[in-house]
């Protein structure tokens, strides 16, 4: 187990280097002059241009620039934007918002998805089963900006049940309620269906038949024996989904004016702010890899037949 | 109504006492499966009884209704599609089919218990084996975790699992097939049931392991004086263990006899066919005389004797009249118009 984790951590290094280099190269290749508009209406002076180029290593070959960047990264220095704003400050401000939103969306999809999946799996073909089937189909087939827009208009603006947008920099839990539900809505549908399918399959299994013939109550045979097995793939899905949500949600963030990492990357790309893009993406890659590792380990804990030696 | 000598203990639980030595009484049982294709009558008027300390083998080809009979007794049929339109299954005089579900649930484990063919799929893959055995004590006896686990270890030792104490936390997939079946047996006998049903317990195992499991079952049955129902499609497996044999065909009992008598002189052509298809050591190399043809489709059982399309002795009467299960010699029942001739042959 210990060696497994170590091996996985070591495997991450080339992945991180590769991913950041790709991003770095792409940002480097973005057309446009970083100095455009920097000095008001006039073009910048030659001296300023030289100093600027020197400061940001703009004359070095790509690989050298990248090497210098990684060297600083290793010491925790994410560099500065061309406006002398520290990228790490930006990340520190925005990442907690994204993490909070992702966590809330995950809680929402886990709770509602599993409950809906269990209720429909136990009573197949009933009214609730059909209701959930239809509504998950609807949710899966409608794009998130439509769901988000409708939810914002009806639940926020018209009926005033939720705050319409996020107004503060740190985004309170209350303000994030509606966005989290919108963000989690697609996964709720997947979690509900995955739970239902697996539960139905496990209810037919031999070991549930054994559980009943042991004289266990139906509740225990289903709620413990069948469900414990049914949730293995569900938990795995939720884990990977969490990894994806931690990458930010550009559409949901922009609908609800959330100062998260998704919008940050989007704006940074548009303003050709290379340092911010590379810094943010580096963080996302690392988070994604770590979450994946945790999910794999969790999978081994949930299913004793999987071994990590 | 039978007289019931039911006594209630302080907890309000029913104490079950055998009636004149009879533990289980299946009477005129029918089980149908209602599917989109139609109604299949899987059990067609089956009656038998099981006495204290008795081993009854139920024998028949695959699909003859052995498992459905066992599942009806345990109350683990999926209903729907299964329907029990008529019949009684009495345990110590109490009809399990009309008993309320909570009361019946409490009989599973302490009174009637069952083991299955495939121990790997019958054990829960995500719980340790000791935990699964201990669950019996925790649910039925309200025992705490560590006491229940001690009991589980004792049982694992009883069914001869080596290093039981060290392996109590291991998972089903970490055991061999034979060891897993021993764990199933430990779980089934945990609460000292009066009746143990074993549905093809050795079919999935190697021949040498089969013999070990059978002798373990025999030993436990004698030690605890259980009533044992041993289901098999292989006569060779049960010969040493069973006292009586009931032979099933197409959802009916077609012959019932004491095991040695049945071996010596079967009273039904189907039983004779089954006997002739056992590989025998003294006839090595000879081809087995398997019964030709297939069992009937349960949605379209032929009129007359259900075995007639495959029977070498079939006459016109066989295609017309259903032979009743009747006493053809002292203590011998057969459902064949020509049973007397078969027995003497
Ligand atoms: N769930 C079910 N749905 C429909 N038919 C079933 C079901 N279970 C059993 N049967 C039918 O009942 C008959 C008896 O099956 P079974 O008791 O399992 O035979 P066996 O003697 O091999 O144990 C079979 O023909 C099978 O097709
Ligand atoms: S009744 Fe007729 S068909 Fe049926 S087993 Fe006897 S001889 Fe064969
Ligand atoms: Mg069977």
């Amino acid at each position: 187990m210990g060696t497994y984790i170590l091996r996985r951590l070591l495997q991450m290094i080339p992945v991180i280097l590769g991913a950041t280099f790709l991003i770095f190269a792409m940002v480097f290749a973005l057309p446009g002059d970083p100095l455009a508009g920097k000095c008001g209406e006039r073009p910048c002076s030659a001296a300023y241009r030289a100093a600027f180029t020197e400061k940001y290593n703009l004359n070095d070959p790509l690989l050298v620039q990248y090497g210098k960047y990684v060297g600083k990264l290793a010491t925790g220095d994410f560099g500065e934007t061309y406006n002398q704003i520290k990228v790490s400050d930006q990340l520190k401000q925005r990442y907690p918002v994204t993490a909070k939103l992702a966590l809330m969306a995950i809680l929402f999809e886990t709770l509602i998805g599993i409950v809906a999946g269990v209720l429909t799996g136990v009573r197949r073909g009933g009214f609730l089963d059909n209701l959930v089937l239809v509504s998950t189909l609807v949710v899966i087939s409608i794009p998130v900006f439509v769901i988000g827009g409708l939810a914002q208009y009806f639940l926020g603006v018209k009926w005033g049940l939720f705050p319409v947008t996020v107004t503060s920099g740190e985004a309170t839990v209350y303000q994030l309620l509606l966005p989290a539900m919108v963000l989690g809505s697609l996964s709720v549908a997947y979690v509900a269906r995955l739970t239902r399918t697996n539960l139905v399959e496990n209810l037919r299994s031999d070991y549930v038949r054994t559980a009943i013939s042991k004289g266990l109550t139906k509740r225990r045979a289903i709620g413990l024996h069948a469900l414990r097995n049914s949730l293995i793939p569900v938990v795995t899905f939720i884990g990977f989904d969490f990894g994806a949500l931690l990458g930010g949600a550009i559409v949901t963030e922009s609908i609800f004016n959330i100062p998260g990492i998704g919008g940050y990357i989007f704006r940074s790309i548009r303003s050709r702010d290379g340092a911010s893009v590379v810094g943010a993406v580096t963080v996302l890659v690392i988070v994604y890899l770590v979450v994946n590792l945790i999910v794999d380990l969790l999978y081994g804990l949930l299913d004793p037949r999987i071994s990590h030696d | 109504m039978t007289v019931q000598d039911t006594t209630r203990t302080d907890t309000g639980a029913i104490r079950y006492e055998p009636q004149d030595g009879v533990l289980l009484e299946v009477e005129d049982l029918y089980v149908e499966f209602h599917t989109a294709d139609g109604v299949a009558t899987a059990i067609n008027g089956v009656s038998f009884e099981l006495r204290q300390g008795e081993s009854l083998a139920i024998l028949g080809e695959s699909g003859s209704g052995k498992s459905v009979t066992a599942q009806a007794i345990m109350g683990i049929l999926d209903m729907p599609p299964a329907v029990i339109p008529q019949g009684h299954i009495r345990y110590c005089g109490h009809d399990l089919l009309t008993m309320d579900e909570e009361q019946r649930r409490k009989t599973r484990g302490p009174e009637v218990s069952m083991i299955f063919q495939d121990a790997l799929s019958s054990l829960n893959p995500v719980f340790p084996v000791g935990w699964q055995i201990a669950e019996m004590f925790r649910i039925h006896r309200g025992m705490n975790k560590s006491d229940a686990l001690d009991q589980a270890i004792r049982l694992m030792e009883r069914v001869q699992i080596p290093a039981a104490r060290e392996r109590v936390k291991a998972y089903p997939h970490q055991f061999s097939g034979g060891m897993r079946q021993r764990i199933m047996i430990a779980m089934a006998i945990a609460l000292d049931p009066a009746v143990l049903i074993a549905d093809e317990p050795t079919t999935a195992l190697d021949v040498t392991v089969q013999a070990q499991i059978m002798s373990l079952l025999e030993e436990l049955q004698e030690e605890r004086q259980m009533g044992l129902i041993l289901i098999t499609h292989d006569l060779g497996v049960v010969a040493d263990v069973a006292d009586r044999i009931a032979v099933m065909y197409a959802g009916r009992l077609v012959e019932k006899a004491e095991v040695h008598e049945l071996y010596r002189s079967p009273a039904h052509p189907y039983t004779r066919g089954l006997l002739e298809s056992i590989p025998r050591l003294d006839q090595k190399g000879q081809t087995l005389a398997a019964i030709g043809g297939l069992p009937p489709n349960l949605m379209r059982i032929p009129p007359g004797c259900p075995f007639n399309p495959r029977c070498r002795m079939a006459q016109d009467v066989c295609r017309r009249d259903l032979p009743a299960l009747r006493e053809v010699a002292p203590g011998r029942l057969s459902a064949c118009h020509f049973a007397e001739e078969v027995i003497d042959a």
Side-chain angles (χ1 to χ4, degrees), chain A residues 160-238:
Chain A
L161 299 173
F162 295 95
V164 179
T165 57
V166 172
T167 46
S168 64
E170 71 268 28
T172 63
V173 170
Y174 180 57
Q175 289 170 339
L176 289 177
L177 274 179
L178 191 57
M181 285 195 274
V182 169
L183 189 58
S185 62
L186 182 65
S187 299
V188 163
Y190 282 124
V191 169
R193 289 193 166 200
L194 199 57
T195 305
R196 181 191 183 280
T197 310
N198 277 288
L199 186 61
V200 167
E201 196 176 296
N202 279 297
L203 286 179
R204 276 197 290 263
S205 71
D206 287 350
Y207 65 81
V208 168
R209 185 187 59 188
T210 305
I212 297 287
S213 60
K214 283 167 85 175
L216 307 186
T217 57
K218 263 223 162 77
R219 174 181 281 268
R220 188 176 169 94
I222 296 172
L224 183 66
H225 285 262
L227 194 59
R228 174 67 175 69
N229 282 275
S230 309
L231 288 184
I232 295 172
V234 177
V235 170
T236 310
F237 171 83
I238 290 172

Side-chain angles (χ1 to χ4, degrees), chain B residues 33 35 40 42-43 60-69 71 77-78 81-82 199-200 231 298:
Chain B
F33 287 99
T35 64
I43 306 297
E61 289 169 299
S62 165
S64 52
K66 307 179 299 292
S67 296
V68 172
T69 304
Q71 287 164 14
L77 281 170
D78 284 325
D199 188 355
E200 313 225 14
I231 292 174
L298 295 176

Side-chain angles (χ1 to χ4, degrees), chain A residues 206 210 214-215 220 225 229, chain B residues 105 121-122 124 132 135 140:
Chain A
D206 287 350
T210 305
K214 283 167 85 175
R220 188 176 169 94
H225 285 262
N229 282 275
Chain B
R105 173 182 75 74
S121 65
S122 297
N124 195 322
Q132 296 190 53
E135 194 179 24
H140 290 280

Side-chain angles (χ1 to χ4, degrees), chain B residues 135-147:
Chain B
E135 194 179 24
M136 298 298 275
F137 295 100
R138 296 179 55 202
I139 298 302
H140 290 280
R141 301 256 168 91
M143 214 178 262
N144 68 41
K145 254 186 192 165
S146 74
D147 288 352

